[in-house]
Amino acid sequence: MAVRSLRWRARSQAWGAPGDIRMRVPATASRKYTSVRWAEVGIGEDAAARQEFALPAWTWETSRSIDGQDYRLVVVHSTSLDKRKQKQLDALIAKEAKEIEKAAAEEATVHYNCREDAETGFGRFAQPQYWLLDHSVEEVEERHYSYRGRPRRDDQPQVERYFRLVIKPGKQQRDAIATLRARLSAFVLISNDPKRKALELLREYKEQMSVEQGFRFIKEPRHIGPVFLKRPDRIEAFAYVQAIALLVYTLIQKKIRDSLAKADRPLQVSWRGEMRNPTAQIILDMMERIQTITASIGLKRYKIYTRLSDEQRYILELLGLDPMIFSVPAPT
């Protein structure tokens, strides 16, 4: 049974707590605004699972027929924004503030004959979505001469008086921002499984993301781009080697993260700072500078390796490996 996330721009309007919310699904769903009651997930024995998978805490379920097939639609509402979505929200608000400042600078060049005309000009100004506008009308007096160059001693400057409209962002519109936050915090899962609970579907969807990330590692161009194979048996063997590499890659990441969860200090990554949940790619990048040279003296073989940094030794300790693996030759 498949579980998918609909790429719908479902707009949510939250009024108070998630228990009382109005949601409008897109026009393709042919639905009007519907007041729904959210159900909390992760209660009792599932609380540990909710914490493990960082699951949101509220769901609402409905159904829809697509091409003659009945599907379950599970709307999931997150109780808190993740960092990526919070950055997206902050960026939208900051972008609108810059647009207001740009439009206000253009408006400030307009000369009005009277204060009333300036107030009328503000009424024509487009109202932003996330900001309230503050405005004032200034009376300006400019002196200038009718010709260029240095003025003559006896000439008097001409005086021009006009009114200018000054606009700047005021307070943020909290209701509009709350609406956007609610929309960004919601997503829709679709499934053709009529039996499993919403939490089970959500758990499977979260696990599916980790599997897809693994396949992204396998399909990375730098891994498969240089390889050209024609025989089916070689292609199959190469796919098997890639699967083994993904398994090792995943085990390294899991082992490091499990060890860091119990360790006294985090891992110091020079380009990322302190980390307790590094990816396997970060670990491999940190170990990439280790070089070994194999030398043969008589019947004996020796390995010489570059001096390990403190963090490289710490990585080996977290993995339960002895640094001597870089100096002792493998048996032949």
Side-chain angles (χ1 to χ4, degrees):
M1 297 296 182
V3 178
R4 299 180 58 190
S5 176
L6 293 181
R7 297 292 183 180
W8 287 355
R9 295 183 177 179
R11 298 179 180 270
S12 306
Q13 288 188 340
W15 308 97
D20 185 9
I21 191 171
R22 292 178 179 270
M23 168 168 286
R24 177 175 65 85
V25 295
T28 53
S30 302
R31 292 183 180 274
K32 300 180 179 179
Y33 279 93
T34 306
S35 180
V36 301
R37 300 292 299 182
W38 295 86
E40 186 175 7
V41 299
I43 301 176
E45 61 182 12
D46 291 328
R50 180 179 62 177
Q51 183 178 4
E52 176 185 357
F53 293 100
L55 297 180
W58 303 90
T59 61
W60 176 70
E61 185 171 340
T62 184
S63 61
R64 185 186 175 200
S65 178
I66 303 176
D67 295 333
Q69 177 70 36
D70 293 333
Y71 291 95
R72 296 170 59 190
L73 301 181
V74 180
V75 185
V76 184
H77 180 274
S78 175
T79 55
S80 60
L81 290 175
D82 58 28
K83 293 182 179 180
R84 179 178 57 83
K85 290 183 179 178
Q86 184 62 54
K87 287 183 179 180
Q88 179 183 354
L89 176 59
D90 294 340
L92 289 174
I93 297 174
K95 179 181 178 181
E96 189 176 72
K98 290 183 178 180
E99 292 175 351
I100 293 173
E101 293 174 354
K102 181 179 178 180
E106 296 177 357
E107 182 66 26
T109 62
V110 179
H111 296 182
Y112 293 97
N113 295 325
C114 62
R115 188 177 298 274
E116 290 74 14
D117 289 346
E119 292 288 351
T120 303
F122 177 72
R124 294 193 299 267
F125 202 86
Q127 294 299 315
Q129 186 176 3
Y130 306 118
W131 293 88
L132 296 173
L133 296 181
D134 288 340
H135 78 285
S136 61
V137 178
E138 294 181 351
E139 185 176 359
V140 182
E141 183 178 289
E142 289 185 356
R143 299 174 182 270
H144 59 85
Y145 294 89
S146 59
Y147 53 87
R148 294 182 179 181
R150 184 175 181 180
R152 292 183 288 270
R153 179 178 299 179
D154 298 335
D155 286 352
Q156 297 296 324
Q158 298 177 358
V159 179
E160 180 185 4
R161 292 184 177 87
Y162 62 89
F163 292 87
R164 180 175 61 187
L165 181 60
V166 179
I167 301 174
K168 59 182 180 180
K171 296 181 179 179
Q172 293 183 357
Q173 298 195 51
R174 298 186 180 277
D175 291 343
I177 294 175
T179 299
L180 177 61
R181 180 178 287 107
R183 178 167 63 88
L184 292 176
S185 301
F187 60 94
V188 184
L189 297 178
I190 179 171
S191 173
N192 57 357
D193 189 333
K195 298 181 180 180
R196 283 182 292 178
K197 298 180 180 179
L199 179 59
E200 296 179 69
L201 296 176
L202 191 54
R203 181 189 293 113
E204 181 176 324
Y205 173 69
K206 290 288 184 178
E207 293 175 344
Q208 178 178 306
M209 293 296 292
S210 62
V211 174
E212 291 177 353
Q213 289 176 356
F215 281 106
R216 183 176 61 182
F217 166 81
I218 289 180
K219 295 184 292 184
E220 193 168 331
R222 65 174 178 172
H223 293 159
I224 63 175
V227 181
F228 177 75
L229 301 172
K230 295 179 65 175
R231 287 171 43 181
D233 58 330
R234 292 186 176 181
I235 295 175
E236 182 179 354
F238 177 71
Y240 183 71
V241 171
Q242 286 288 87
I244 294 177
L246 176 59
L247 176 61
V248 175
Y249 180 91
T250 305
L251 290 175
I252 290 174
Q253 179 170 292
K254 178 174 174 53
K255 178 63 175 178
I256 288 288
R257 292 185 174 184
D258 291 346
S259 299
L260 283 173
K262 304 174 184 178
D264 297 332
R265 72 174 182 90
L267 182 67
Q268 294 287 345
V269 183
S270 59
W271 63 92
R272 295 287 295 273
E274 296 183 353
M275 299 189 69
R276 285 195 176 272
N277 290 299
T279 62
Q281 188 60 55
I282 291 177
I283 301 301
L284 296 177
D285 290 342
M286 294 180 67
M287 304 294 287
E288 188 176 14
R289 296 184 179 181
I290 301 176
Q291 296 181 355
T292 60
I293 299 175
T294 302
S296 298
I297 301 178
L299 298 177
K300 293 185 178 181
R301 297 175 60 204
Y302 300 90
K303 275 190 176 182
I304 305 173
Y305 64 95
T306 55
R307 183 176 180 180
L308 300 179
S309 67
D310 293 339
E311 294 307 308
Q312 288 172 339
R313 289 183 177 275
Y314 188 41
I315 289 174
L316 294 176
E317 178 185 338
L318 295 172
L319 290 173
L321 299 176
D322 190 334
M324 294 298 291
I325 61 175
F326 293 108
S327 61
V328 178
T332 57

